[in-house]
Amino acid sequence: ARVVGVMDLLPQCLSSDYLFYDPKYSFMSLGVISALKEIEFVKQHPEFGEQFKYYYMGYYIHDCVKMKYKGAYSPSDLLCPVKFTWHPLDDCRDALDKSTYVVFSEISKSAEVESKVTKIEEGNSK
C-alpha cells in the first residue's frame, strides 16, 4: 500500500497533519491504524519530557463526514474559539448538531447551572 503520513512533534503533543493513500486500500482502515500508531508513539516516548503526553488529531468538523471519525476517539476535547479553553466533545455534540459555530465555554456554563438547579430541585423534593 502507498501511504503518506505527515505529523509534527511539538513540545506537548504529536500533531497528526495529513494522511493520504490510494483509495483502493480503504478497506485496510489505514486512518485508524495511523491514529493508533501515533497514539502508541506518544505513550512510548517519555524521553520527550513530561509535557509530551497529548495526541492532536487536527481540526474536527462536526458536519464533515471525512472528519467526523475523529469524534470516535475518546477522550476528545474541543478548543473554544472564544475563550481558548478545552471542553469534552461529548458535552458539545448536541450544540454542534444545531449550529456550525458554537462557543463551547457557554455550553459548559449552562451545563453547570443546569446541574446546580437539578441538585436544588432534588434537595427540595425530599
Side-chain angles (χ1 to χ4, degrees):
R2 293 184 181 151
V3 180
V4 175
V6 179
M7 61 185 181
D8 289 322
L9 295 177
L10 304 167
Q12 295 182 335
C13 70
L14 182 152
S15 177
S16 184
D17 295 334
Y18 301 102
L19 178 74
F20 51 94
Y21 49 88
D22 188 323
K24 70 181 175 185
Y25 298 108
S26 293
F27 71 94
M28 297 175 74
S29 300
L30 296 172
V32 172
I33 293 169
S34 174
L36 294 174
K37 294 304 281 181
E38 290 168 347
I39 291 167
E40 179 181 61
F41 182 89
V42 171
K43 289 182 171 187
Q44 292 183 345
H45 286 84
E47 68 270 18
F48 290 125
E50 285 182 24
Q51 290 181 318
F52 187 77
K53 58 185 173 184
Y54 299 105
Y55 175 58
Y56 177 63
M57 295 185 81
Y59 290 111
Y60 173 79
I61 301 173
H62 188 69
D63 58 358
C64 176
V65 175
K66 288 185 174 185
M67 292 195 172
K68 203 167 185 171
Y69 75 94
K70 296 175 183 184
Y73 293 85
S74 178
S76 291
D77 293 315
L78 300 176
L79 185 65
C80 177
V82 174
K83 301 276 186 168
F84 300 107
T85 52
W86 292 97
H87 302 271
L89 173 60
D90 288 339
D91 293 352
C92 303
R93 287 184 202 271
D94 289 343
L96 287 166
D97 285 338
K98 296 173 188 163
S99 176
T100 55
Y101 183 80
V102 177
V103 178
F104 303 126
S105 56
E106 290 178 5
I107 294 171
S108 295
K109 286 180 185 174
S110 65
E112 286 175 24
V113 168
E114 218 172 277
S115 173
K116 288 178 183 173
V117 168
T118 303
K119 286 179 183 175
I120 290 170
E121 288 173 354
E122 287 172 358
N124 289 337
S125 67
K126 292 180 181 180

